[in-house]
Amino acid sequence: MLPQISLQEVSEVVGHGMNCLLSLTESYPYLYYAGGVVFAAIVSQWLAERRRNPRGLPYPPGPRGMPFIGAFYKIPETKPWAAYKEWSKKYGDLIFYKAMGQNYLIVQGVKEVNDLFEQRSAIYSDRPPQPMATDLLGWKFNLGWHPYGPWWRRHRKAFHEHFNPNVIEKYDPVQNQEIHRVLGKLLREPARFNDHIHNLLATIIMKVMYGITISDDHNDPWMTTIFESLQTIGKAGIPGLYLVDHIPILKHIPSWFPGAGFKREAERGKKVTDRLVMKPYEAVKESLRKGDAEPSVVAALVSDLPAENDPTRAEEETIAANIGAVVYIAGADSTASAMLACLLGLAMNLDAQRKAQAEIDEYVGPTRLPGVSDRPSLPYVDAIILETLRWHQVAPFAIAHMTSEDDEYDGYFIPKGTTVIGNAWSILHDEALFENPSDFNPDRYYNNPRTLKPDVTFGYGRRACPGRFFSDRNMFAMISAILAVFDILPPLDEDGKPMKLDLNPTDGIQSYPGPFSVRIIPRNENAAQLVRDLDA
Ligand code: HEM
């Protein structure tokens, strides 16, 4: 998934951007020409769409807005997933609008999601171009932003070989070792649970991918590079915030050119991206040369590379390095966000917690932790995972898809190049499908196969998250282990009464539960001793 940046921030950036643009046009008249190019592009897009839609089919319903800027100013700033759900009362489950010359389609019904993303996946699997992020800042490595085509397919295949459900069992030893460590940390420093959970996922992924152990130290050099690169991509990760996203030809202007601040910004950021992708990759290659490499995905990819003189070698090396970097970027914080939501939900529903603990006590007993092999006997823990993924959307809008052909659906015209956004939140909070959808209630999934599973939380069609099996296995191992030895309780107020908790998810491409605290307390002395023994 992606770094967190809220729409509030986006709108501040855009507002600031507009002011800057106005002052820039005074200093750099070529921006008037750029404005002219945008204007011409909008007009030619309009003419082309009329030509390609000879029967004059309407667009799906939606806010129409003002000439040229379209409905840009109507795009909801906070909790847009809930705002779009409100819009559906007026427009239905398919909402279309134009903003700054770009077409947007919001899809928020089970049927529409299935009809478009799944049944027509051949034309609903592209991504909107983001020249600032991919070409200039070097985030081309991220398969999540690759255009739909052969290069994406080769990355996805390489990824799948190492993360499909039949092979991920091999990562269990790393996962379990790190879970034992984190239980020890939760016992010693329960108030820092947020840091521990983030660090746990980062550690598992760096070990699995590169065989690299990161330290708990905030200055760990690997973590510093990752953090810096997330900062550089924060703004550029939002498609359309930079002029160059609208006029890609601007990427060729030299960085010394007046007004080309974005090019200088990109040059600095690109160096960080190169470090992110190449440094750990080179470290693995070096360890392989010296013969002391830890087993890891990247070590396996490097070992499988074609011979030095093979013409495909360079491309295969790029794919190996790219896969290494993308797993951290896509996998660490997303799973951490879901894990934190789970802890919060459990603290809000002690009854659910007791049911899961009773199940664990009965089938696993007090002398060991549950493992993935116990899963068939622990259906309530499974219900907790499903409910967590339904209740809190880590990526409420997934990553935007784009149509690669014109389409007709239900009597409407959907042009090629439309940005298509699935609203998983709206589906998974539909009162017609889920009673009291804002409640964290795993009972709705317990022994109830008819309840809609939260699959859309992992995205759609051919672009659906390829890391979901790994993440699911991590979540089961972590949640069952935590529940076996700890109670997760709400904080107490001054009078010693449990405080009310709330999910209050953050805005952004990637969403986290709002700041909260819980008390994490060993269930009994036996459980505390088990944690100490495992962490020794
Ligand atoms: C709870 C955890 C996770 C959630 C909720 C999640 C969710 C998502 C979503 C919504 C997408 C976009 C799908 C679309 O565009 O339709 C996605 C893409 C992706 N995810 Fe995950 N993810 C999680 C964990 C992971 C993990 C652990 C990995 C790596 C091991 C991973 C790797 C990826 C990759 C590589 C993509 C891009 C796929 C493509 O564009 O073809 N994710 N994820």
Side-chain angles (χ1 to χ4, degrees), residues 463-483:
R463 299 305 288 241
C465 175
R468 60 194 185 279
F469 312 107
F470 180 63
S471 143
D472 175 63
R473 205 170 173 92
N474 284 174
M475 283 188 69
F476 179 84
M478 286 184 262
I479 291 166
S480 59
I482 289 175
L483 281 170

Side-chain angles (χ1 to χ4, degrees), residues 1 127 143-144 152 156 159 163 326-327 330-331 334-335 338 389 394-395 398-399 401 457-460 463-467 470-471:
M1 301 301 322
R127 297 286 196 209
L143 85 88
W152 165 77
R156 191 87 193 192
F159 187 102
F163 288 97
V326 85
V327 171
S334 48
T335 312
L389 296 170
V394 170
I399 306 174
H401 289 221
T457 220
F458 289 106
Y460 311 97
R463 299 305 288 241
C465 175
F470 180 63
S471 143

Side-chain angles (χ1 to χ4, degrees), residues 69-309:
I69 64 165
F72 180 68
Y73 62 99
K74 293 191 177 173
I75 300 175
E77 286 180 7
T78 50
K79 312 268 183 285
W81 47 86
Y84 284 134
K85 187 165 184 280
E86 273 305 300
W87 284 18
S88 69
K89 289 184 186 151
K90 182 166 176 196
Y91 302 115
D93 282 338
L94 214 54
I95 299 174
F96 183 94
Y97 63 83
K98 285 177 181 278
M100 306 301 257
Q102 176 60 40
N103 298 325
Y104 291 88
L105 181 70
I106 313 292
V107 186
Q108 39 192 10
V110 177
K111 179 178 180 320
E112 289 77 2
V113 157
N114 185 50
D115 288 351
L116 300 184
F117 288 121
E118 307 291 336
Q119 304 303 324
R120 302 182 187 191
S121 58
I123 59 170
Y124 280 81
S125 297
D126 211 350
R127 297 286 196 209
Q130 288 173 261
M132 179 66 184
T134 52
D135 299 341
L136 296 181
L137 280 165
W139 275 60
K140 264 191 178 137
F141 77 85
N142 178 6
L143 85 88
W145 287 342
H146 286 176
Y148 182 61
W151 189 235
W152 165 77
R153 220 167 272 119
R154 282 170 70 183
H155 280 77
R156 191 87 193 192
K157 185 167 171 284
F159 187 102
H160 183 74
E161 268 163 31
H162 294 275
F163 288 97
N164 72 69
N166 300 325
V167 302
I168 48 176
E169 191 181 340
K170 66 182 172 197
Y171 309 128
D172 283 357
V174 170
Q175 170 189 280
N176 294 341
Q177 187 190 17
E178 293 307 320
I179 288 176
H180 296 168
R181 277 184 53 202
V182 89
L183 293 179
K185 290 188 205 169
L186 289 172
L187 185 67
R188 290 190 300 276
E189 295 178 292
R192 286 190 57 213
F193 68 93
N194 197 318
D195 290 347
H196 301 327
I197 297 292
H198 278 282
N199 194 279
L200 168 68
L201 272 310
T203 313
I204 293 177
I205 285 183
M206 289 302 278
K207 265 204 175 159
V208 164
M209 291 313 290
Y210 301 108
I212 288 174
T213 303
I214 55 174
S215 69
D216 289 347
D217 180 357
H218 282 299
N219 297 322
D220 179 282
W222 301 109
M223 294 309 292
T224 310
T225 303
I226 288 165
F227 184 67
E228 278 176 36
S229 53
L230 288 177
Q231 274 186 327
T232 63
I233 200 64
K235 209 166 86 183
I238 312 270
L241 270 194
Y242 285 82
L243 201 55
V244 63
D245 284 342
H246 299 280
I247 315 172
I249 201 166
L250 287 180
K251 72 185 175 196
H252 298 296
I253 67 171
S255 52
W256 49 262
F257 206 71
F262 70 98
K263 284 282 298 234
R264 294 187 285 279
E265 189 183 327
E267 278 170 9
R268 284 190 299 275
K270 171 91 172 44
K271 289 192 185 122
V272 183
T273 313
D274 290 345
R275 267 207 319 269
L276 171 82
V277 180
M278 293 316 293
K279 242 185 130 182
Y281 179 73
E282 292 297 346
V284 172
K285 275 177 72 181
E286 181 58 21
S287 310
L288 282 168
R289 257 193 299 272
K290 289 198 301 207
D292 63 0
E294 296 280 334
S296 71
V297 172
V298 170
L301 287 166
V302 172
S303 307
D304 288 347
L305 284 175
E308 295 279 355
N309 57 356

